[in-house]
């Protein structure tokens, strides 16, 4: 064994001892835990939990008309003179997320949140939403997205800012493309491709 290898091994052992002592001492020192403390990643997430990368694809249905609308304007645009881009409008949504583009396809979750028109010279929305999944092992887990949505662009990208359950420590991004838009009935179907890193 070269001296360099030996040193590496030595440091590795030193580090692992350190981890063990610090993890035991952190549980012993609970009485001294006041407000914030560092915690060993392995203790919280489990030794075998490696960070995963997932690609989710589903369709978002925003339905503002008919017997069962899924979203409602809760604040109309306050602009009387020029409301071309509905600046100031806030719409609250509880929109179905389905595996296919048809509303009748499998429901995988709901998109709960709001979008607000934030541009006076373009169609651009601030979107704040929790994607609450109900499908299989993802049932009960959620992904939170906060971003800017210039709806007339072919592809819009918004950041994933967090998640819960399966998606704890989530970070990533979502890409949106409009699948169909029916202005008469105010029904939009948008394809979501979400790339998310999580444990
Ligand atoms: C409203 O604003 C847009 C963007 O500034 C402008 O192009 C449009 O002409 C305005 N419309 C009216 C009626 O003033
Ligand atoms: C999701 O979990 C809830 C609560 O545990 C349960 O009532 C529901 O049936 C589950 N849904 C699906 C689709 O598995």
């Amino acid at each position: 064994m070269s001296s360099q290898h030996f040193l590496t091994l030595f440091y590795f052992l030193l580090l692992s001892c350190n981890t063990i002592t610090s993890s035991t001492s952190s549980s012993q020192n609970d009485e001294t835990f006041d407000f914030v403390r560092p915690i060993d990643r392995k203790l919280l997430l489990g030794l075998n939990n490696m960070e995963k990368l997932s690609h989710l694809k589903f369709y978002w249905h925003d339905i503002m008309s008919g017997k069962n609308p899924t979203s409602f304007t809760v604040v109309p645009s306050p602009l009387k003179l020029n409301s071309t881009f509905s600046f100031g409008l806030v719409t609250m949504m509880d929109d179905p997320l389905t595996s296919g583009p048809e509303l009748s396809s499998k429901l995988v979750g709901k998109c709960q949140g709001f979008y607000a028109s934030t541009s006076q010279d373009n169609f651009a929305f601030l979107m704040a939403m929790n994607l609450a999944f109900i499908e299989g092992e993802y049932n009960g887990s959620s992904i939170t997205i906060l971003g800017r949505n210039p709806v007339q662009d072919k592809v819009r990208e918004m950041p994933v800012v967090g998640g819960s359950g399966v998606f704890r420590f989530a970070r990533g991004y979502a890409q949106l493309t409009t699948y169909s838009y029916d202005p008469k009935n105010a029904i939009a179907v948008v394809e979501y491709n979400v790339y998310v890193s999580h444990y």
Side-chain angles (χ1 to χ4, degrees), residues 81-82 84-85 120-121:
L81 291 175
N82 188 350
T84 315
F85 304 109
Q120 297 195 68
D121 52 23

Side-chain angles (χ1 to χ4, degrees), residues 10-101:
F10 178 73
Y11 276 119
F12 177 73
L13 287 174
L14 198 69
L15 273 176
S16 29
C17 290
N18 217 353
T19 320
I20 294 160
T21 19
S22 65
S23 53
T24 44
S25 64
S26 67
S27 52
Q28 278 161 3
N29 289 351
D30 265 354
E31 63 276 15
T32 63
F33 173 36
D34 185 19
F35 170 51
V36 180
R37 65 172 173 176
I39 179 168
D40 189 332
R41 190 165 275 267
K42 290 173 189 158
L43 268 182
L44 186 64
L45 302 166
L47 261 174
N48 300 322
N49 280 354
M50 299 288 284
E51 200 165 8
K52 299 188 256 300
L53 186 62
S54 301
H55 172 194
L56 295 85
K57 181 182 167 182
F58 49 82
Y59 293 82
W60 171 92
H61 302 260
D62 192 55
I63 304 161
M64 297 195 81
S65 67
K67 261 192 282 180
N68 298 305
T70 62
S71 69
F72 299 86
T73 292
V74 292
V75 180
S77 173
L79 298 184
K80 299 267 187 303
L81 291 175
N82 188 350
S83 58
T84 315
F85 304 109
S86 305
F87 180 72
L89 167 133
V90 180
T91 297
M92 199 62 66
M93 60 185 159
D94 186 16
D95 287 347
L97 304 173
T98 58
S99 60

